[in-house]
Every structure is written in C-alpha cells, then in structure tokens.
Amino acid sequence: MLDSSTREQIIALINKEVVPAVGCTEPMAVALCTARATEDLGCKPERITALLSANILKNAMGVGIPGTGMIGLPIAIALGALIGKSEYQLEVIKDLKPQSLEAGKAYISDPHHIDIKLKEGITEKLYIEISCEADGHKATAIIAAGHTNFVYEERDGNVLLDKRQCVGNSEESTDIQLNMQTVWDFATTTPVDEISFILKTRDYNIRAAQESKKGNYGHNLGKTIGRPLSSGIFGKTIYSNIISETALACDARMGGAMIPVMSNSGSGNQGICATNPVAVYAKENENTEEELIRALTLSHLTAIYIKQSLGKLSALCGCVVASIGSSCGIVYLMGGDYTRVCHAVKNMIANLTGMICDGAKPSCSIKICSGVSSALLSALLSMEGEHVTAAEGIIDEDVDRSIHNLTSIGKQAMCPTDDMVLDIMTHKGC
C-alpha cells in the first residue's frame, strides 16, 4: 500500500481533475471566463472581445450549448455574461431559464456585441482571454492551461490577479507525477472508504445516459444501438449495452442537453468514456461494489496519468486516452493482474494512436464507440495472454515508455495535423 501522504496527493489530484460539467467543457470554459470578466466589470457588458487559442476554437465551433438548441460560442459567451456565475465553474450557466435564453438570443442578434478572434503568438493550447466593456470601463479575465484555471484579471488597468508567469510551466507540475505502477497500486490497495467518492462518476454519467433516452440528441447513436436492426447485428449483449450506455451520454452532452456529467481532465466525453464502460461491465458481470470502486479509480487515474504528458488539449482524440483507462478497469473486473493491465494498455496504443481530434461535436459519440470497442477487445486479448510486443510499431517493453510514445506523437508530431484540421474546419463552404 502507498503511504498516506502519497495517497492524499493522488486523491487531491483526482478531485481536481474529475469534476461535474454541463455541456462541452471548451465553450463552458469560455462562458466561465466571460462570467468572471463580467463580475469584475460589475455590469452588463456592451461589448465582449474573445481571444482564443486554436484548440479552444476547434472544440467550440460545432457543439451544442446546453439548454439552448444552438451551437457555437456566441450564445455561450452571451449567457456567460448575462446569467453566468463563476462560482459554478464548468456548470456556469446552470441557472438558464427560457427568458434568459431569449435575452441571450437578443444579445447576439447585434453583431457589435461579441467579437471572437484567434489569439496570435501563443504556444498554450488552452487559452481564453475575455474583455468586457461598458460605460467607459473595461475588465479582462484570462484562463490558461486548465479549463477553470484563471491566471489573470484586471479592471480599468488595475490588476486583480496575475499568475501568468506560471502558464509557461506545466499546470500539473505541482501535482504528484504518476506512473502506471503507482496508478495500479493506488487503485488496488487504497482503503476503499478513501476512494468510494469515485462512485459519483457512475451516478452522474449513467444518469446522463438514462436521461438521454428521453430525447433525440446528436446522431442518436446510443438509441440506434438498442433498436431492432442493431439488435439483430450486435444482439442484446454486454458489448451492445456498454456501447449504448456510453454513446447515449455522449449524444446528450454533445447535443446540448442540460444534463451534468462527471468530466475527466477537463473533458466530459473523457469522463463518460472512463466511467460508463466500466460501470456497465461491473453490473453485467455482477462485480462487488468494492471491485467497481477500484476499477473506476483505475480507469480515471490512468486517463489522468496519460493526460499529464499529453496535455489538456491536443491533436489526439481524448477518447483514446479515456478508452485506455476503461480497458484497464475492465481487465481488473475480469480478474486481471497488473501484467494483464499493462498488456491491455499496449494493445490500445497499438490500435488507436493517431485518431485525430476535429473538435467537439455530435459525431464524437461515434469515435467514443470506436474507443470503447477497442477497449473491450484489448481487455479480452490481454486476459487470453495476448499482447502487442516491443517488436511491433511504437510499443516498448516498458508500459510507461509506450504511453509516452503515444503522448509524444499526440503532443508533438501531430501539431501540423492539428493546424490543418483547424484550417479545414474554418474554410468549409458552410
């Protein structure tokens, strides 16, 4: 068992990275920053200027904004200014009512109210700078390196907060740095009462799947899996249930449902993907509650670990990271040991490396299903004693080096891909 100090640091890290969110985290982070700038201004802004990194723009262009029936940043920014409360963090617009939505629509109907631009000359992939102006006054707030990480605030030139010097360093530098062995040891040996809070991820994300059945969201992938034609192909199996329950929650979230989910490392989809496959498998397999707690902890902490070297936003689809976590959790529920978990990780990296992120949008549920399918296959292979070896591709004998090979490709080698994806997205005929 890890010592109490190490366990406390890891628990603090999980509580920081696994938090509730309503809607896609990128537009919600922009709304959050707008809410803080408005609070600093002290009145309704007459004009709002948003300077955003390319990855924020990419992830906010095509996703539904909860409770609005609309997509994109303008309505998110307007609602952040009109009803947003920064104390709500990524649930910033949860007080949305029909009358406030109408006020938001009226606000964005005037093209002079909101100006959205790409922030030039920065290397930080997660950067949001909002300036609000009214009655000759101006307030600015900046979020960087993390979706709720405010690094700068000022009003009329008076600096209220300045932590910008920390942005050049990794936000995670003050957090405990993980490796796969530590992740395994923590998840499997920590007293269960210390980590039982992770069950909140199941409560939130399975509830999101159930609520999704009440409407038609996104591409209805979750519902489609449960329909007669799909049942004839997939059957009524553990596999089909896992795919359906995971896709349902993603459909609702990307479709703009006012349904909170528990996110992981700043992404609701990653939180869903790290949770629902594990929770559904545990229920179908009749695992104990303690086994579920440890499996969910293993899944979420694995995703957090991989994100430490990949970064919050990258050219690599986040479902790759979260699916690796869920594959580890499922291996544990199957009775697998640490070696089997490492083999599942290698199987996943050998398969899904290179899946691009082309923004948050309804079709994310299709990518999530690809990731979850691979997670189940990788888990089964590892339990059969099969795994991709160091003689193949980017896999190394050491599991941590294999993970860092994955994150190096996603963080460094795929940067030109990221640039081209954004260029394509911003120059389409629509």
Side-chain angles (χ1 to χ4, degrees):
M1 182 187 297
L2 301 175
D3 63 80
S4 60
S5 175
T6 300
R7 297 202 309 274
E8 287 173 4
Q9 291 180 71
I10 295 175
I11 289 169
L13 177 60
I14 295 173
N15 280 319
K16 186 177 94 167
E17 299 294 356
V18 180
V19 298
V22 174
C24 177
T25 47
E26 276 71 53
M28 288 305 99
V30 177
L32 171 63
C33 197
T34 305
R36 180 66 65 85
T38 301
E39 290 164 359
D40 290 340
L41 184 66
C43 63
K44 175 182 171 181
E46 297 168 358
R47 179 172 174 80
I48 302 171
T49 302
L51 300 176
L52 310 173
S53 61
N55 287 76
I56 291 289
L57 279 172
K58 181 180 73 173
N59 277 354
M61 288 172 59
V63 70
I65 306 303
T68 68
M70 304 170 70
I71 65 171
L73 281 168
I75 190 64
I77 290 172
L79 293 176
L82 298 177
I83 60 143
K85 294 182 180 178
S86 64
E87 65 191 77
Y88 291 165
Q89 299 283 283
L90 293 178
E91 296 180 286
V92 58
I93 63 168
K94 69 179 182 179
D95 288 341
L96 179 65
K97 299 290 191 299
Q99 57 268 32
S100 49
L101 174 58
E102 292 307 311
K105 291 179 179 179
Y107 192 86
I108 65 174
S109 66
D110 184 340
H112 300 291
H113 277 153
I114 299 175
D115 186 20
I116 301 171
K117 299 178 180 177
L118 180 68
K119 177 71 174 182
E120 303 287 354
I122 58 170
T123 57
E124 173 57 49
K125 292 183 179 295
L126 199 167
Y127 183 94
I128 303 164
E129 180 178 331
I130 302 291
S131 295
C132 295
E133 300 175 65
D135 299 327
H137 298 283
K138 180 179 179 180
T140 298
I142 299 175
I143 286 175
H147 290 78
T148 61
N149 186 45
F150 284 95
V151 299
Y152 185 79
E153 294 177 60
E154 73 164 45
R155 185 182 191 276
D156 292 337
N158 297 313
V159 176
L160 308 175
L161 171 73
D162 192 354
K163 298 192 298 180
R164 289 174 297 179
Q165 69 276 10
C166 302
V167 175
N169 304 315
S170 171
E171 185 204 8
E172 287 80 15
S173 61
T174 58
D175 298 325
I176 184 170
Q177 296 300 294
L178 301 170
N179 57 50
M180 202 63 216
Q181 184 69 61
T182 300
V183 169
W184 169 263
D185 290 343
F186 177 83
T188 58
T189 67
T190 297
V192 71
D193 61 297
E194 293 184 16
I195 54 175
S196 59
F197 66 88
I198 203 70
L199 287 174
K200 291 187 295 183
T201 63
R202 175 203 59 186
D203 297 341
Y204 270 77
N205 295 345
I206 293 296
R207 185 186 304 123
Q210 297 306 309
E211 289 296 316
S212 180
K213 295 176 183 177
K214 300 176 183 178
N216 291 310
Y217 299 105
H219 297 296
N220 281 313
L221 180 56
K223 281 187 169 183
T224 298
I225 295 295
R227 287 173 177 157
L229 178 60
S230 299
S231 296
I233 297 171
F234 299 112
K236 293 291 186 181
T237 63
I238 296 176
Y239 171 81
S240 63
N241 287 344
I242 287 174
I243 294 295
S244 179
E245 291 294 302
T246 307
L248 278 164
C250 180
D251 285 336
R253 180 172 175 270
M254 294 290 95
M258 188 63 90
I259 301 172
V261 301
M262 197 67 78
S263 64
N264 181 300
S265 303
S267 168
N269 282 349
Q270 286 170 197
I272 291 166
C273 198
T275 302
N276 288 20
V278 177
V280 173
Y281 184 87
K283 182 178 179 180
E284 297 277 359
N285 197 47
E286 298 183 354
N287 289 97
T288 66
E289 182 172 87
E290 178 176 341
E291 289 169 338
L292 173 59
I293 289 169
R294 296 193 182 282
L296 286 171
T297 301
L298 178 60
S299 178
H300 278 276
L301 195 57
T302 298
I304 292 168
Y305 162 43
I306 297 172
K307 277 288 186 172
Q308 284 187 328
S309 56
L310 180 63
K312 288 289 192 298
L313 298 177
S314 74
L316 184 70
C317 177
C319 85
V320 175
V321 174
S323 296
I324 293 173
S326 62
S327 188
C328 293
I330 290 170
V331 168
Y332 175 81
L333 293 172
M334 290 176 169
D337 58 10
Y338 177 66
T339 298
R340 293 285 189 265
V341 164
C342 291
H343 288 172
V345 171
K346 293 178 182 180
N347 291 341
M348 289 292 291
I349 293 172
N351 185 15
L352 290 183
T353 298
M355 183 185 288
I356 65 167
C357 170
D358 53 344
K361 60 213 174 299
S363 61
C364 284
S365 61
I366 305 175
K367 291 190 175 186
I368 278 183
C369 287
S370 297
V372 173
S373 296
S374 182
L376 291 163
L377 178 62
S378 296
L380 285 170
L381 277 175
S382 73
M383 293 302 291
E384 290 292 323
E386 297 289 343
H387 69 281
V388 180
T389 69
E392 304 172 66
I394 64 169
I395 301 305
D396 195 286
E397 193 66 38
D398 179 78
V399 68
D400 294 299
R401 283 198 293 269
S402 296
I403 288 170
H404 286 286
N405 291 343
L406 165 73
T407 59
S408 294
I409 290 171
K411 188 174 184 177
Q412 300 169 29
M414 291 178 71
C415 285
T417 302
D418 216 17
D419 294 338
M420 179 165 285
V421 166
L422 184 65
D423 184 66
I424 291 170
M425 290 175 65
T426 54
H427 290 89
K428 289 188 290 187
C430 61

